[in-house]
Amino acid sequence: MDYESLVLQLKSLAEADADYVPFLSNASALLYDAMPNLNWAGFYLIKNGQLVLGPFQGKVACIHIPIGKGVCGTAVSENRTVRVANVHEFAGHIACDSASNSELVIPIRKDGIPVGVLDLDSPLLSRFTERDQAGLEQFVKTLEQLIRF
């Protein structure tokens, strides 16, 4: 996976419009198209103290996720990336799609405080590597610099 190219494409998308709805919509499409073996790529945004479904590509998803619950909520409450090789072994996993077997969630921050997450799901076990995590964390850092909420 060429993460440098993904970051350059993300920057190009921001030039067209960095408002959060179109920007996150195209960012999710970019990731879904570029990364093999995904069944979901998208964003949850914090609203009224919980994660609320944002722009995504893939199967139908959970609309609300409590902070501290599931992989997404844990990433927010602990303000860190959570990479799970087998979601069925993750205590408190929320099964929005029973076909998902591994997950990578990266907090999106504004002034160091989480405002949402990038969430990637795969039907494969152990789909996400340390290299994927590092590349996608850079992708999110770039997104944080460009996005307009």
Side-chain angles (χ1 to χ4, degrees):
M1 184 86 258
D2 182 359
Y3 289 104
E4 288 180 24
S5 176
L6 281 178
V7 167
L8 290 174
Q9 291 176 68
L10 183 67
K11 289 178 179 178
S12 177
L13 292 173
E15 289 173 8
D17 192 340
D19 182 68
Y20 77 98
V21 173
F23 189 43
L24 293 179
S25 296
N26 277 330
S28 64
L30 173 64
L31 291 171
Y32 193 77
D33 185 54
M35 296 186 71
N37 301 310
L38 295 183
N39 58 335
W40 206 88
F43 300 92
Y44 282 90
L45 303 172
I46 296 174
K47 182 177 179 183
N48 299 324
Q50 65 180 334
L51 288 165
V52 178
L53 182 63
F56 74 95
Q57 300 285 312
K59 298 180 181 255
V60 171
C62 297
I63 295 172
H64 300 101
I65 298 176
I67 291 175
K69 304 291 183 187
V71 181
C72 290
T74 298
V76 169
S77 67
E78 298 180 4
N79 195 10
R80 68 174 180 91
T81 298
V82 180
R83 180 167 44 102
V84 181
N86 182 347
V87 296
H88 308 290
E89 295 175 352
F90 187 89
H93 174 252
I94 299 169
C96 298
D97 175 10
S98 62
S100 292
N101 286 310
S102 61
E103 189 167 2
L104 178 65
V105 179
I106 302 169
I108 300 167
R109 300 171 183 95
K110 184 174 182 181
D111 302 323
I113 307 296
V115 295
V117 296
L118 166 63
D119 180 20
L120 301 171
D121 294 348
S122 174
L124 302 181
L125 293 169
S126 302
R127 161 62 184 88
F128 305 103
T129 65
E130 287 181 23
R131 184 175 176 279
D132 291 323
Q133 180 175 332
L136 290 162
E137 285 174 339
Q138 186 58 50
F139 184 90
V140 168
K141 283 181 185 172
T142 302
L143 184 143
E144 290 168 344
Q145 294 166 1
L146 299 170
I147 196 167
R148 286 192 325 262
F149 282 105

